[in-house]
Amino acid sequence: MGLRIMVFLAVLTAVTGSPSVTTRPESDSADMSAHPNSVPETVEETEPEEDVMATGKLNPNHYPAQRAAKVVQHYLNTRYGSPYRVFGLHKVHSGNAEDVADSGRKYQLDIMVQDVMSKVEKCSAEVFFPKGKQQQQSSPQVQASCEELRKIDTSVQEEAFYQQYKNQSLLSANLPDSYGRIEPEMEPLWHLGSVASSFTMLNESTEDTLYNMAQVANITQLETENDQLKFDYHILLHEMVSQEIIHWKLLFSWSPSEGVKVLQMEQLPHCHDCEKPPNTN
């Protein structure tokens, strides 16, 4: 009888194995800033199990490489964006990370970005994330080389947009609407919000965040005494790691010659009763 009990326990142990089981959450790859008629981003399936602080060669589909590449996207929009030039991350080809003494971490990336005209461009970039007190005082530092980027010419469309709104006032809300739609004539204003919000997303980004613009809740065009168009935007950012929707007020100007200049950024209080923005996939 004793022998039978011992055999039974041995078989039970072999079947059940170790009681220590690790369950990892699935990554949420939904890009709420995407729209059928805006930047056609390709979002790779990210794997959250890779350590965010990994060094050396990175898996291009994992969070560390994807987050650093998103920062490059925001940087390019702040440098080259307009109502007709908005860049989205298309693909991460390769990435490498290394610690830089006690000051932060540096990422080296080879990526592809895609603009609203569906033109895909290759870029090499370096992203430095400061840490400690420096992280609280400065945004990520980005250097990027995209050889063909400057050749994209949207001057005709931009001048027409500028003349259209130079002598009129504008009020608009909810881009996209509750059904995830943006009317074609409103798309340049959505793109302009994407560019302006890139300044905020670049400034707020760390190794632990992944930002997209979810919605433009409200647009007010303001009077100006110079040749710049001036706008007050209320935008909603989607922080995809925490799944938090963050409200920001952006005051900025734009003209074809001067580009987007953000005059003021203000994070608004969390709104518990606000309707969630639509998923525009």
Side-chain angles (χ1 to χ4, degrees):
M1 183 68 172
L3 179 59
R4 290 182 181 178
I5 293 174
M6 292 178 62
V7 172
F8 173 76
L9 291 174
V11 172
L12 181 62
T13 302
V15 172
T16 57
S18 170
S20 178
V21 178
T22 301
T23 302
R24 300 183 184 278
E26 295 181 359
S27 61
D28 185 352
S29 59
D31 185 350
M32 299 181 69
S33 68
H35 180 266
N37 297 317
S38 62
V39 183
E41 287 193 39
T42 300
V43 180
E44 300 288 345
E45 291 186 3
T46 54
E47 299 290 344
E49 57 263 25
E50 180 174 344
D51 184 4
V52 174
M53 305 306 288
T55 56
K57 185 177 181 180
L58 302 175
N59 187 316
N61 299 331
H62 287 188
Y63 273 148
Q66 291 285 322
R67 291 173 182 174
K70 268 291 188 179
V71 171
V72 179
Q73 170 194 318
H74 301 323
Y75 170 80
L76 294 176
N77 280 327
T78 63
R79 294 290 303 273
Y80 306 110
S82 80
Y84 294 91
R85 296 184 71 187
V86 184
F87 301 97
L89 177 62
H90 181 68
K91 187 178 182 64
V92 180
H93 283 292
S94 63
N96 186 82
E98 62 177 292
D99 291 317
V100 181
D102 295 326
S103 60
R105 284 167 54 78
K106 180 171 66 176
Y107 290 76
Q108 295 176 323
L109 304 162
D110 288 317
I111 66 174
M112 296 183 73
V113 295
Q114 190 167 2
D115 71 358
V116 293
M117 308 299 290
S118 296
K119 187 175 180 62
V120 178
E121 301 292 347
K122 295 181 179 179
C123 298
S124 297
E126 184 176 288
V127 181
F128 175 75
F129 290 99
K131 67 179 182 180
K133 293 182 179 180
Q134 292 184 355
Q135 179 179 346
Q136 300 174 359
Q137 298 172 355
S138 62
S139 59
Q141 301 170 18
V142 183
Q143 295 180 344
S145 174
C146 309
E147 295 181 1
E148 301 295 319
L149 208 60
R150 296 178 180 272
K151 297 181 181 180
I152 303 174
D153 186 6
T154 57
S155 58
V156 175
Q157 299 96 315
E158 290 178 14
E159 184 62 29
F161 176 86
Y162 176 75
Q163 294 298 331
Q164 178 183 354
Y165 289 101
K166 183 177 181 181
N167 298 312
Q168 72 177 64
S169 59
L170 169 71
L171 288 173
S172 183
N174 295 335
L175 301 178
D177 62 21
S178 57
Y179 297 99
R181 299 176 304 195
I182 301 176
E183 297 298 329
E185 64 271 17
M186 302 302 292
E187 287 176 13
L189 294 166
W190 164 260
H191 297 156
L192 200 57
S194 296
V195 174
S197 68
S198 288
F199 285 84
T200 301
M201 292 186 283
L202 177 61
N203 188 65
E204 296 295 310
S205 289
T206 70
E207 288 184 280
D208 302 318
T209 61
L210 185 62
Y211 284 104
N212 286 311
M213 187 178 77
Q215 188 179 44
V216 175
N218 185 269
I219 304 172
T220 303
Q221 184 176 354
L222 306 175
E223 293 184 2
T224 178
E225 297 179 356
N226 53 36
D227 293 332
Q228 306 289 309
L229 300 182
K230 191 175 182 181
F231 298 96
D232 186 337
Y233 269 58
H234 176 185
I235 63 169
L236 279 62
L237 300 184
H238 181 204
E239 203 292 287
M240 297 182 69
V241 178
S242 65
Q243 290 299 308
E244 184 178 4
I245 299 297
I246 308 171
H247 293 245
W248 283 82
K249 179 181 178 180
L250 299 181
L251 182 65
F252 65 92
S253 63
W254 176 82
S255 70
S257 60
E258 298 294 330
V260 173
K261 292 186 176 181
V262 176
L263 308 175
Q264 182 179 350
M265 296 186 293
E266 178 186 358
Q267 183 174 346
L268 302 176
H270 183 71
C271 182
H272 295 280
D273 299 325
C274 293
E275 181 180 352
K276 289 185 178 180
N279 189 333
T280 56
N281 279 335

